[in-house]
């Protein structure tokens, strides 16, 4: 991702110029950005759009069990990132 032109870069830049509490959002954005593309997509589809693993599997051309693992692994990585900042 080109940090100057990507949505990620623009969002990160906007947050760093605001309040001190924005560091929590920056950490979340960084943790999500660090996920592999398929895991990031599966996580967002599941958590934001409430998509089922079966629906995500059709979109990613994987089986539902693999999508469940992607989502679980993504959650684990996000939680690990949150734990590491304590």
């Amino acid at each position: 991702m080109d940090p100057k032109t990507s949505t990620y870069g623009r969002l990160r830049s906007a947050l760093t110029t605001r309040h001190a509490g924005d560091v929590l959002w920056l950490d979340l954005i960084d943790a999500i950005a660090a996920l592999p593309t398929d895991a990031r997509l599966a996580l967002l589809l599941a958590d934001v759009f409430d998509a089922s693993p079966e629906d995500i599997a059709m979109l990613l051309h994987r089986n539902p069990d693999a999508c469940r693992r992607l989502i679980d692994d993504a959650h684990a990585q996000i939680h690990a990132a949150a734990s590491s900042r304590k």
Side-chain angles (χ1 to χ4, degrees):
M1 268 187 262
D2 180 1
K4 294 180 182 174
T5 60
S6 70
T7 301
Y8 165 78
R10 288 190 304 273
L11 180 58
R12 195 171 202 305
S13 176
L15 284 171
T16 58
T17 62
R18 292 190 178 189
H19 310 289
D22 287 345
V23 72
L24 296 173
W25 289 109
L26 289 170
D27 289 346
L28 176 62
I29 291 167
D30 288 343
I32 291 170
L35 294 171
T37 303
D38 282 356
R40 187 177 333 130
L41 180 58
L43 174 77
L44 293 174
L45 287 170
D47 288 0
V48 175
F49 296 103
D50 201 27
S52 70
E54 291 75 18
D55 290 337
I56 296 168
M58 286 190 301
L59 292 169
L60 297 180
H61 304 287
R62 294 179 177 228
N63 69 52
D65 288 334
C67 287
R68 281 185 194 86
R69 283 190 299 278
L70 271 177
I71 295 164
D72 289 344
D73 291 347
H75 282 139
Q77 288 179 14
I78 300 265
H79 288 276
S83 295
S84 71
R85 70 176 308 278
K86 290 181 181 178

